[in-house]
Amino acid sequence: MKKFILIVEDDDTTANLISKIFTAIFKCKVAIVDTNEQALKLIKKEKPILITSDIYHPGGTGIELFRFIRNNKKTENIPFIIISGNVTPEQELKLFRSGIEGVFKKPFTIESLAIKIKKYITPNVETDDFLIDLNMERADLDYKELIDFSMKKNRAALAKDVIAMYNSGGGAIIIGIAETKPGIFTKLGIDNNQIPNYEITKLNDALYPYLKETISISSKTHIKDDKTYIIIKIPSITETLAMSQCDNKEAKLFKGRIYYRTESARCCEARDSYVVTKIIERIVNYKIQKIINPV
């Protein structure tokens, strides 16, 4: 019998992403509702092994639902995770003191959520398997078949992707997966003779001419279903945003401009104050966390 997960979320985009993580990767049964009343009716019929909820939705809040779950002996042991773009530091602290299992602020990375929730479903599964199996690109996840580093345009294009992903909160680029049709991804893997091309020193050499700031990327091979992939991890922005230090017109990469990744997996130039504000917020949040947790 499939494990049952309950998602309480009134934003379709977020609900569909979380649902895909549970169904495509963890093979779980999922129900999506957008009110506390609907959630409680479902819980009476079938006890979920995990509940995720946003904070603000019709008919109450996620915090009220969490308190009800915790104060009921029949449901008090159900793990509960808040996923919201509107959680305040005070709310987050109170939730953790109340025993909540996790609080994720939107936008969140697929990997960070998968790491947290897998302990309740399949704790021994490799997290990198999730990224390969998701079959959906996002701001924090990009698939590529191969990269020909002999071409300057391709090196610049990768640098643009790294810069944009770094400014957008980090993520992963997986080599060995081709987009055969728009939105359709095929797992091809790479040949063993291609692996040395993605060794971290060679990657840094390819990116160095373009990166104004040092971005500590990592690279590793990952074998799944007898196929080899390269997983390049890009960290989240820290104390300063990243920009290119030279132009490449073919890759549409220009010196001094700010790039970011959209939720539809496009690499774009930041041209409005909202996007720039979000990038600055990430820098500020990093500095605040560094003060709170200096180690």
Side-chain angles (χ1 to χ4, degrees):
M1 185 176 179
K2 288 187 176 182
K3 296 175 179 178
F4 172 51
I5 309 289
L6 178 60
I7 299 171
V8 188
E9 173 65 67
D10 64 344
D11 177 71
D12 290 341
T13 300
T14 302
N16 290 334
L17 171 63
I18 300 170
S19 176
K20 187 161 187 178
I21 291 174
F22 285 126
T23 55
I25 299 176
F26 294 108
K27 313 301 181 187
C28 292
K29 174 185 173 183
V30 171
I32 301 173
V33 298
D34 59 10
T35 69
N36 291 353
E37 182 181 2
Q38 292 172 331
L40 294 173
K41 283 182 179 179
L42 277 177
I43 292 170
K44 287 181 180 179
K45 294 179 181 178
E46 185 176 0
K47 185 177 178 181
I49 64 163
L50 177 68
I51 299 171
T52 74
S53 176
D54 61 356
I55 289 184
Y56 299 106
H57 50 248
T61 70
I63 294 176
E64 291 169 346
L65 179 62
F66 169 67
R67 288 172 180 162
F68 183 89
I69 296 297
R70 280 294 183 269
N71 292 329
N72 187 315
K73 288 189 176 181
K74 292 182 179 179
T75 60
E76 62 183 355
N77 294 320
I78 300 175
F80 200 107
I81 292 174
I82 287 285
I83 301 174
S84 176
N86 298 303
V87 61
T88 66
E90 293 79 11
Q91 287 174 324
E92 189 173 357
L93 181 59
K94 289 180 180 179
L95 286 166
F96 277 116
R97 284 176 174 172
S98 301
I100 201 164
E101 277 68 30
V103 177
F104 287 85
K105 296 179 181 178
K106 300 176 187 176
F108 56 87
T109 65
I110 295 170
E111 185 175 16
S112 64
L113 182 60
I115 288 172
K116 186 68 180 180
I117 63 181
K118 74 170 188 173
K119 65 184 288 187
Y120 305 109
I121 307 169
T122 51
N124 297 321
V125 174
E126 284 271 1
T127 304
D128 290 330
D129 287 349
F130 306 157
L131 303 179
I132 292 170
D133 285 339
L134 192 62
N135 290 325
M136 182 178 70
E137 291 182 320
R138 282 194 358 134
D140 61 318
L141 182 61
D142 192 51
Y143 298 132
K144 297 183 185 298
E145 184 175 354
L146 286 173
I147 301 174
D148 181 359
F149 288 108
S150 67
M151 298 179 65
K152 193 173 182 180
K153 172 188 174 181
N154 294 342
R155 299 196 298 273
L158 178 61
K160 185 178 180 181
D161 286 333
V162 170
I163 289 169
M165 196 170 281
Y166 172 84
N167 287 336
S168 301
I173 298 172
I174 300 180
I175 312 296
I177 300 178
E179 187 171 9
T180 50
K181 293 180 181 179
I184 304 298
F185 301 96
T186 303
K187 302 169 191 173
L188 302 175
I190 66 170
D191 295 334
N192 288 337
N193 60 4
Q194 291 283 341
I195 294 175
N197 296 333
Y198 302 95
E199 190 269 332
I200 190 62
T201 301
K202 289 189 177 181
L203 279 175
N204 283 327
D205 287 344
L207 297 173
Y208 178 76
Y210 302 98
L211 297 183
K212 189 174 181 180
E213 285 76 27
T214 300
I215 300 176
S216 299
I217 66 171
S218 65
S219 172
K220 69 175 183 177
T221 59
H222 184 79
I223 298 174
K224 186 178 188 303
D225 300 329
D226 297 324
K227 292 179 180 178
T228 301
Y229 303 89
I230 300 294
I231 300 180
I232 303 170
K233 297 285 181 72
I234 294 93
S236 178
I237 192 169
T238 54
E239 296 185 351
T240 182
L241 56 81
M243 293 184 289
S244 176
Q245 61 179 357
C246 63
D247 296 343
N248 186 287
K249 292 183 179 179
E250 286 187 283
K252 297 182 180 179
L253 177 66
F254 300 99
K255 181 179 179 180
R257 298 186 186 179
I258 302 171
Y259 296 94
Y260 73 103
R261 294 262 300 179
T262 68
E263 285 305 306
S264 58
R266 294 182 61 198
C267 184
C268 298
E269 183 182 337
R271 293 182 176 179
D272 63 73
S273 59
Y274 175 80
V275 172
V276 175
T277 299
K278 287 298 179 183
I279 294 173
I280 293 172
E281 283 179 0
R282 292 189 187 98
I283 297 173
V284 172
N285 288 336
Y286 171 81
K287 291 185 176 183
I288 291 173
Q289 289 302 316
K290 195 174 180 181
I291 293 171
I292 296 173
N293 303 299
V295 179

